[in-house]
Amino acid sequence: MDIADARALDDRDPLAGFRRRFIAPGEHDRVVAYLDGNSLGRPPLATRDRLIELIDEQWAGRLIRSWSEGWLELPAQIGDRLAAAVLGAAPGQTIVADSTTVCLYKTLRAAAALRPDRTEIVTDRHNFPTDSYVVDGVATELGMTVRWIDSDPASGVTVEQVAETLGDRTAVLLLSHVAYRSAYLADMAAITALTHRHGAVVVWDLCHSVGSVPVELDACGVDFAVGCTYKFLNAGPGAPAFLYVRAEHQDDFAAAIPGWMGHDDPFAMEKAYRPAAGIKRALSGTPPVTGLIGVEQGVALVEQAGIDRIRTKAVELTEFVTALVDVWLVPLGAGYGSPRDPRLRGGHVTVTHPDAARISTTLIERGVIVDHRPPGGIRIGLSPLTTSFAETYSAMEIFRDILDGATAG
Amino acid sequence: MDIADARALDDRDPLAGFRRRFIAPGEHDRVVAYLDGNSLGRPPLATRDRLIELIDEQWAGRLIRSWSEGWLELPAQIGDRLAAAVLGAAPGQTIVADSTTVCLYKTLRAAAALRPDRTEIVTDRHNFPTDSYVVDGVATELGMTVRWIDSDPASGVTVEQVAETLGDRTAVLLLSHVAYRSAYLADMAAITALTHRHGAVVVWDLCHSVGSVPVELDACGVDFAVGCTYKFLNAGPGAPAFLYVRAEHQDDFAAAIPGWMGHDDPFAMEKAYRPAAGIKRALSGTPPVTGLIGVEQGVALVEQAGIDRIRTKAVELTEFVTALVDVWLVPLGAGYGSPRDPRLRGGHVTVTHPDAARISTTLIERGVIVDHRPPGGIRIGLSPLTTSFAETYSAMEIFRDILDGATAG
């Protein structure tokens, strides 16, 4: 395998053209390879154009009228597009709003309220920190206890572990669909069914799968889901999150943060909260329009590419990296920290090394943008719309050279 | 008084030049006068420039590195600038985050937690709806009761009413500094002192005063405050809100929504929540960078203009409108729905009329952008950085003609 092979893979890549629809870094930014699109996706050209249009036309020109001429509908409208493009969800169940943390909070509160006679929230000990903090916070607030599943950090929570943990006190199970460290892809269908057999409800955190792995929320019978849009959806730094509430739960959705945008008639300015029908009751404050435009344009690109083609390329890219890790990095002291079976792996690969922090810094200094995830993980994010095989190859060469230098030194 | 007088006032206005630093509507937008800057401020040219720079340089070029190269500091950094420019607050007490609704929720939860032995939240029956919804929600959640002050909707909550309502069960008082309907300006100093004498804490909602009326949070001894940035601060549609926590309360600030951005060391990815020192513990999720840029640029303009000059012009504009309401509109059946004493009035004037809904629609059709606020209010927002006396005069002429036509018809 050499760079020519990598270029040949790019030549055959049906998604290769999408790379040109994003704004490239400048020469002075010294980016050899961007392997952190799973942390912050790159800016689509269309987002830049639409934001300028938003400012010049809707904001400057239509002014306050824009709220009734479209802005108020954006959270549900973009939610529906996201649902159709990548979530496997019918319309009317998804909105774009707040941050993932706030959406998680609202969702866990609503989920726990569906099982008022139960006392336990179950989650993964190695879940993303904000998930753990919110679970702890909600449990304390509601007088519930948390049961932590001791997952293997190099893989993730298995169906068997869930089966051993759930009990008749379990109200809610919260898991990440793709683990942020290992990229382990949980079995959403089996775990959701299992949770229901125990009489509990499930909340899936889709932050690391949305836009990279096909999701089938409706078909799996998922109760609630949340996720972020600034990773594989390329919506921009701190763009709003999304929240899915299965249609059958919406009438019972108790708004933890009841705000005017979740009211049945916000501009009637009624004194008492009267929740909107459907998913809109999950809204709280005024929709963040500039962030929403980023989500809209990010989703549009995923619609055009198709989630199945994205997934196919994600598997090819992670397989490509896996092969290079094995051939080049393992002999130099690195480990492989992700599932080897691509069916159990999302859109990134984690390389482990005792010196992960220092190596990550050196990689970034040499233009290979990766993410260090303590303790000991170097995360290589593969974003099918923007990542080329050639840049990935070049990055892995540099990675090898750094380890080789370290070993030689 | 004629249009020449209005133009003469513009000629003498030391803030007149600021109008050119905002993007004007196009001809086809048919805006004669924009009198809704207290609902959505107009776009500063600098915001457009900075957003393009953000996309091209920081997002596209520096990519994920931008988080550590400045983005992570924006919520507190812009909060400090806002605090110095208009809140009368020392650094380290203000952050920009979330929506007003979410900030209110977090703040009320934290405020109530400071008085665990008390059972009551007090607020204004005519507070902005989202405030009422959040108060109701938090009270239900914590098993508290709400006491509603029966304020006069044409003015607002007086010190005497607060004195009559507060008791030894009162944990928290939540009031708006400027009432969203009448523009009544509450006596923050006296009410805050009174609240403290009753052993309670106060939360001020500054949505309708920030950027229009000088605020002295530190000097008044205010405990907590929240506010929005898309009105007089011109930060853009749905731009993030802000939250002030007095320094002495920060160690006791209980994070209702504990998220990774409020953690002492977010990127250590610790499993247990360990709140950051200071105001940062009030953060939850990932900061919304595009929205924050809007706040930064909006605050920069207020810094340059100076809040005292802004307030002076706001008083002149509301006095100007008041005079025209009296001379032109009252004889045609309209009422004046704001405090007549400018010291008790914020940056807008409300005209009342039984046909307010229809009149508002007609005004907007004729290019005079106002806000209808049920049940009978037409709100005339005066935004000192962008509103001219001449456009206000033209707007009031059209208002008079509409009422005259309605009367004649």
Side-chain angles (χ1 to χ4, degrees):
Chain A
M1 169 111 69
D2 61 19
I3 186 71
D5 297 318
R7 292 200 181 112
L9 288 169
D10 285 325
D11 289 342
R12 289 198 300 271
D13 170 17
L15 300 183
F18 278 89
R19 193 173 156 93
R20 289 190 297 275
R21 298 174 66 179
F22 289 79
I23 304 173
E27 280 300 314
H28 58 284
D29 291 311
R30 302 170 55 88
V31 177
V32 174
Y34 188 55
L35 301 177
D36 209 0
N38 61 329
S39 191
L40 175 69
R42 289 172 51 191
L45 282 157
T47 298
R48 185 188 199 277
D49 294 344
R50 266 294 280 127
L51 275 176
I52 294 171
E53 185 193 311
L54 171 85
I55 296 171
D56 290 348
E57 309 292 330
Q58 285 90 47
W59 183 7
R62 302 303 299 164
L63 292 154
I64 194 72
R65 298 170 290 190
S66 289
W67 281 114
S68 54
E69 290 170 359
W71 287 351
L72 282 172
E73 301 309 318
L74 292 177
Q77 198 174 79
I78 302 171
D80 281 347
R81 285 178 68 178
L82 177 65
V86 296
L87 299 181
Q93 303 176 107
T94 309
I95 49 154
V96 181
D98 303 307
S99 63
T100 306
T101 303
V102 171
C103 285
L104 258 171
Y105 177 78
K106 295 203 266 194
T107 302
L108 279 174
R109 284 278 310 274
L114 292 180
R115 297 291 181 270
D117 50 334
R118 294 181 170 219
T119 57
E120 199 172 73
I121 304 177
V122 174
T123 193
D124 176 8
R125 185 173 297 281
H126 296 104
N127 211 339
F128 188 76
T130 228
D131 298 61
S132 301
Y133 305 157
V134 175
V135 165
D136 258 339
V138 169
T140 302
E141 185 183 333
L142 302 180
M144 300 175 79
T145 52
V146 183
R147 271 186 88 175
W148 303 94
I149 298 175
D150 280 311
S151 65
D152 175 357
S155 60
V157 175
T158 62
V159 180
E160 293 67 33
Q161 287 176 310
V162 174
E164 285 162 18
T165 313
L166 296 184
D168 54 14
R169 288 194 302 275
T170 308
V172 185
L173 170 68
L174 165 68
L175 289 181
S176 286
H177 188 208
V178 166
Y180 82 102
R181 279 204 185 90
S182 69
Y184 179 83
L185 178 58
D187 187 339
M188 180 181 283
I191 290 175
T192 298
L194 183 60
T195 307
H196 291 164
R197 283 201 297 279
H198 280 86
V201 294
V202 69
V203 179
W204 285 100
D205 179 338
L206 308 178
C207 283
H208 277 278
S209 59
V210 64
S212 164
V213 174
V215 182
E216 292 292 345
L217 295 178
D218 284 355
C220 291
V222 168
D223 302 291
F224 300 94
V226 299
C228 102
T229 64
Y230 47 74
K231 299 178 186 292
F232 293 110
L233 292 174
N234 306 299
F242 66 88
L243 191 159
Y244 163 93
V245 180
R246 190 170 190 77
E248 68 186 75
H249 293 318
Q250 291 176 3
D251 286 348
D252 300 318
F253 185 89
I257 309 178
W260 70 319
M261 286 298 144
H263 192 277
D264 188 49
D265 188 359
F267 295 96
M269 305 276 157
E270 295 175 8
K271 178 177 159 286
Y273 184 67
R274 201 159 51 75
I279 187 67
K280 279 194 179 173
R281 69 173 60 189
L283 293 172
S284 300
T286 305
V289 178
T290 57
L292 283 160
I293 294 304
V295 183
E296 181 184 62
Q297 297 308 311
V299 169
L301 288 170
V302 170
E303 283 170 347
Q304 290 160 42
I307 189 65
D308 292 328
R309 290 201 298 176
I310 289 172
R311 173 63 179 161
T312 299
K313 182 171 174 188
V315 168
E316 287 167 1
L317 282 164
T318 55
E319 287 285 271
F320 182 76
V321 167
T322 299
L324 295 176
V325 170
D326 283 339
V327 174
W328 286 345
L329 308 189
V330 170
L332 295 170
Y336 184 78
S338 291
R340 290 205 161 264
D341 182 344
R343 291 168 303 179
L344 301 181
R345 192 173 62 212
H348 67 270
V349 164
T350 290
V351 176
T352 60
H353 196 284
D355 261 354
R358 191 186 52 78
I359 293 167
S360 298
T361 304
T362 309
L363 279 164
I364 294 168
E365 281 165 7
R366 299 209 191 161
V368 177
I369 318 283
V370 295
D371 232 347
H372 169 50
R373 281 293 172 255
I378 299 158
R379 218 168 53 172
I380 298 175
L382 292 317
S383 200
L385 298 184
T386 55
T387 306
S388 72
F389 289 91
E391 73 174 327
T392 306
Y393 184 90
S394 301
M396 297 303 288
E397 277 190 317
I398 292 170
F399 201 156
R400 179 196 62 196
D401 293 348
I402 290 169
L403 289 190
D404 204 21
T407 307
Chain B
M1 169 112 67
D2 60 20
I3 186 72
D5 297 318
R7 290 197 182 116
L9 288 169
D10 284 326
D11 289 342
R12 288 197 301 270
D13 170 17
L15 300 183
F18 278 88
R19 193 172 155 93
R20 289 190 297 276
R21 298 173 65 179
F22 289 79
I23 304 173
E27 280 301 314
H28 59 284
D29 292 310
R30 302 169 56 87
V31 176
V32 174
Y34 187 56
L35 301 178
D36 210 359
N38 61 329
S39 192
L40 176 69
R42 289 172 51 191
L45 283 157
T47 298
R48 185 187 198 278
D49 294 345
R50 266 294 279 129
L51 275 175
I52 294 171
E53 186 193 311
L54 171 85
I55 296 171
D56 291 347
E57 309 292 330
Q58 285 91 48
W59 183 7
R62 302 304 300 164
L63 293 154
I64 194 71
R65 296 170 291 190
S66 288
W67 282 114
S68 54
E69 289 170 358
W71 288 351
L72 282 172
E73 301 311 317
L74 291 177
Q77 196 174 80
I78 302 171
D80 280 348
R81 285 178 67 177
L82 177 65
V86 297
L87 299 181
Q93 303 176 105
T94 310
I95 49 154
V96 180
D98 303 307
S99 64
T100 306
T101 304
V102 170
C103 285
L104 258 172
Y105 177 78
K106 296 203 267 193
T107 302
L108 279 174
R109 284 276 312 274
L114 291 181
R115 297 291 181 270
D117 50 334
R118 295 180 169 219
T119 58
E120 200 173 73
I121 305 177
V122 173
T123 192
D124 176 8
R125 186 173 296 282
H126 297 104
N127 211 339
F128 188 77
T130 228
D131 298 63
S132 301
Y133 306 159
V134 175
V135 165
D136 259 340
V138 168
T140 302
E141 184 183 334
L142 301 181
M144 301 174 78
T145 53
V146 183
R147 272 187 86 176
W148 304 92
I149 298 174
D150 280 312
S151 64
D152 175 358
S155 59
V157 175
T158 63
V159 179
E160 293 67 33
Q161 287 176 310
V162 173
E164 285 162 17
T165 313
L166 296 184
D168 54 14
R169 288 194 302 275
T170 309
V172 185
L173 171 68
L174 165 68
L175 289 181
S176 286
H177 188 209
V178 166
Y180 82 101
R181 278 203 185 92
S182 69
Y184 180 83
L185 178 58
D187 188 338
M188 180 181 282
I191 291 174
T192 298
L194 184 59
T195 308
H196 291 163
R197 283 202 295 278
H198 280 86
V201 293
V202 70
V203 179
W204 285 99
D205 179 337
L206 307 178
C207 283
H208 277 278
S209 59
V210 64
S212 164
V213 175
V215 182
E216 292 292 344
L217 296 178
D218 284 355
C220 290
V222 167
D223 303 291
F224 301 95
V226 300
C228 100
T229 64
Y230 47 74
K231 300 178 186 291
F232 294 108
L233 292 175
N234 306 299
F242 66 88
L243 192 161
Y244 164 92
V245 180
R246 190 170 190 76
E248 68 185 72
H249 293 318
Q250 290 175 3
D251 287 348
D252 300 318
F253 185 89
I257 310 178
W260 71 319
M261 285 298 145
H263 192 278
D264 188 49
D265 188 359
F267 296 96
M269 305 277 157
E270 294 175 9
K271 177 176 159 287
Y273 183 67
R274 201 159 50 76
I279 187 66
K280 279 195 179 173
R281 68 173 60 188
L283 293 172
S284 300
T286 305
V289 177
T290 57
L292 284 160
I293 293 303
V295 183
E296 180 185 63
Q297 296 308 311
V299 170
L301 288 170
V302 171
E303 282 170 347
Q304 291 160 40
I307 190 63
D308 292 328
R309 290 201 299 176
I310 289 173
R311 173 63 179 161
T312 299
K313 182 172 174 188
V315 169
E316 288 167 0
L317 282 165
T318 56
E319 287 286 270
F320 182 75
V321 167
T322 299
L324 294 175
V325 170
D326 283 339
V327 174
W328 286 345
L329 307 190
V330 170
L332 295 169
Y336 184 77
S338 292
R340 288 204 163 265
D341 182 344
R343 291 168 303 180
L344 301 180
R345 192 173 62 213
H348 67 270
V349 164
T350 290
V351 176
T352 60
H353 196 284
D355 261 354
R358 190 186 51 77
I359 293 166
S360 297
T361 304
T362 310
L363 279 165
I364 294 168
E365 281 166 7
R366 299 210 191 159
V368 177
I369 317 284
V370 295
D371 231 346
H372 169 50
R373 280 293 171 256
I378 299 159
R379 218 169 51 173
I380 299 176
L382 292 317
S383 200
L385 297 185
T386 55
T387 306
S388 72
F389 290 91
E391 73 174 325
T392 307
Y393 184 90
S394 301
M396 297 303 287
E397 277 190 317
I398 292 170
F399 202 155
R400 179 195 62 196
D401 294 347
I402 290 170
L403 288 190
D404 203 21
T407 308

